[in-house]
């Protein structure tokens, strides 16, 4: 039979109220060291496990953060979830992950379910386009941090790509390219930014969005290889790896200059076709986003995060690699 608070109190020879205050760490739980030791020993002897549910009902918090994410098979999102979980744990919180598999209805259902489970706050990694549920959570001042997007309802973390993309366009123009082909993920801000930057540099721009189906995605990359644009920009980390695989296996003579968005290192980016990488402090952004969310949960003011991405050409990347020495790929 599961031990109760009453069992612990009787074993320690003290009141239930005193045991409860001791376990909760209540400031006014004054007692002699001998009494504390008796309670600790009674907890051990009775194999007593405090009820997190009861504690959360009393405090109004569950010490849990929800994470809405499409999948964990993607190395980017699995690394994201891992970092968020570790940062949350450092602050005494657990992460409850809800997968929505790139389905709009599932996204909203995930958001609703996490709110009903009374998580203390939510990291939302899909595009929140408003709606009745979002408006309700906004009115209730529910702590939520939106990732990789901007919002008028909640605080958010979004990378500012304008400077880095401007530098990438200028670099490619300086190498004689007059047209750029951009392959972007859904909801990416790259096409709008590139339209401005290419217009400023007098360059033409072609864009296409990555389809959700993997086979369609691969076929799209084959079509790009057949068109053989001389300069290609890829806004998705996985697109860059897959694009290079398609080139090597099916179009080995195709030698475009590629600029890819890379949140962390990968052996594929040592390919000589990589003309440069657009980077940001991936780990720092996630950790800071979790910290901001926890501050909001604890009643403090939140804030938006807008770090700037950085462009580094191939020459610069090689120089950095020589200076940093051997590198081991974590993801």
């Amino acid at each position: 039979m599961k031990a109760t608070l009453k069992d612990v109190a009787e074993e320690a020879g003290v009141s239930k109220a005193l045991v409860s205050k001791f376990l909760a760490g209540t400031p006014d739980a004054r007692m002699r060291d001998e009494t504390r030791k008796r309670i600790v020993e009674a907890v051990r002897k009775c194999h007593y496990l405090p009820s997190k549910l009861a504690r959360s009902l009393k405090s109004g918090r569950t010490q849990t953060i929800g994470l809405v994410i499409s999948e964990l098979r993607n190395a980017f999102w699995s690394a994201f979830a891992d970092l968020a979980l570790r940062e949350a744990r450092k602050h005494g919180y657990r992460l409850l992950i809800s997968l929505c598999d790139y389905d709009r209805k599932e996204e909203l259902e995930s958001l609703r379910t996490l709110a009903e489970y009374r998580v203390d706050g939510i990291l939302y990694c899909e595009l929140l386009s408003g709606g009745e549920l979002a408006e309700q959570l906004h009115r209730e001042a529910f702590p939520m941090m939106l990732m990789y997007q901007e919002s008028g309802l909640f605080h958010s973390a979004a990378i500012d790509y304008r400077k880095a993309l401007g530098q990438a366009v200028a670099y490619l123009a300086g190498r004689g390219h007059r047209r750029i082909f951009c392959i972007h993920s859904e909801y990416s801000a790259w096409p709008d930014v590139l339209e401005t930057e290419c217009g400023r540099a007098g360059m033409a721009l072609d864009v296409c969005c990555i389809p959700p189906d993997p086979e369609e995605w691969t076929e799209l990359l084959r079509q790009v290889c057949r068109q053989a644009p001389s300069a290609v920009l890829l806004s998705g980390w996985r697109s860059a790896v897959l694009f290079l695989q398609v080139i090597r296996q099916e179009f080995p003579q195709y030698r475009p200059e590629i600029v890819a968005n890379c949140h962390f290192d990968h052996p594929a980016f040592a390919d000589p076709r990589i003309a440069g990488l657009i980077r940001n402090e991936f780990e720092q952004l996630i950790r800071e986003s979790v910290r901001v969310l926890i501050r909001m949960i604890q009643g403090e003011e939140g804030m938006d995060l807008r770090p700037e991405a950085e462009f580094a050409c191939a020459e610069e990347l090689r120089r950095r690699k020589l200076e940093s020495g051997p590198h081991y790929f974590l993801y």
Side-chain angles (χ1 to χ4, degrees), residues 39-239:
I39 294 175
V40 170
E41 179 60 23
V43 168
R44 186 196 64 78
K45 189 173 181 179
C46 295
H47 303 288
Y48 177 71
L49 297 174
S51 170
K52 287 186 176 294
L53 176 60
R55 189 177 300 174
S56 68
L57 290 173
K58 184 175 181 180
S59 67
R61 293 180 184 168
T62 61
Q63 297 300 115
T64 305
I65 291 173
L67 173 63
V68 178
I69 200 168
S70 274
E71 63 166 332
L72 290 173
R73 294 166 297 182
N74 183 322
F76 173 83
W77 290 119
S78 61
F80 182 105
D82 181 87
L83 288 164
L85 186 153
R86 293 174 186 277
E87 187 63 29
R89 188 170 59 191
K90 280 168 48 178
H91 297 275
Y93 287 79
R94 292 293 180 262
L95 204 65
L96 182 59
I97 302 175
S98 184
L99 302 178
C100 55
D101 202 23
Y102 302 100
D103 185 283
R104 182 63 185 150
K105 290 183 179 179
E106 286 294 326
E107 292 171 22
L108 295 176
E109 186 59 31
S110 293
L111 183 59
R112 185 183 303 279
T113 300
L114 288 172
E116 289 174 351
Y117 270 91
R118 301 185 63 92
V119 295
D120 297 327
I122 293 176
L123 279 177
Y124 194 81
C125 298
E126 306 303 321
L127 184 68
L128 187 68
S129 57
E132 182 181 342
L133 179 58
E135 294 286 350
Q136 178 184 344
L137 293 174
H138 172 65
R139 289 194 300 271
E140 295 174 357
F142 183 82
M144 188 147 70
M145 193 74 178
L146 308 187
M147 301 303 302
Y148 302 109
Q149 59 191 290
E150 297 186 16
S151 170
L153 295 177
F154 301 97
H155 288 293
S156 62
I159 307 298
D160 186 346
Y161 286 108
R162 289 171 295 181
K163 181 179 178 180
L165 286 175
Q167 292 172 339
V169 168
Y171 178 78
L172 292 172
R175 294 180 65 80
H177 298 282
R178 292 295 172 259
R179 180 181 292 271
I180 290 176
F181 197 104
C182 173
I183 303 174
H184 64 90
S185 54
E186 191 177 12
Y187 311 128
S188 172
W190 278 35
D192 291 336
V193 177
L194 284 172
E195 185 175 0
T196 299
E197 296 299 333
C198 285
R200 188 175 296 161
M203 301 179 73
L205 174 67
D206 297 311
V207 298
C208 66
C209 181
I210 299 167
D213 181 76
E215 292 185 6
E216 293 179 10
W217 188 359
T218 306
E219 183 54 36
L220 169 65
L221 297 178
R222 290 192 183 104
Q223 292 174 14
V224 174
C225 291
R226 294 186 188 105
Q227 296 174 29
S230 63
V232 179
L233 267 68
L234 299 116
S235 72
W237 171 87
R238 199 158 53 160
S239 292

Side-chain angles (χ1 to χ4, degrees), residues 231-258:
V232 179
L233 267 68
L234 299 116
S235 72
W237 171 87
R238 199 158 53 160
S239 292
V241 174
L242 182 57
F243 189 47
L244 288 168
Q245 288 176 347
V246 170
I247 291 174
R248 290 171 189 156
Q249 294 176 21
E250 302 181 39
F251 303 88
Q253 302 306 313
Y254 177 35
R255 310 287 297 183
E257 291 202 301
I258 300 171

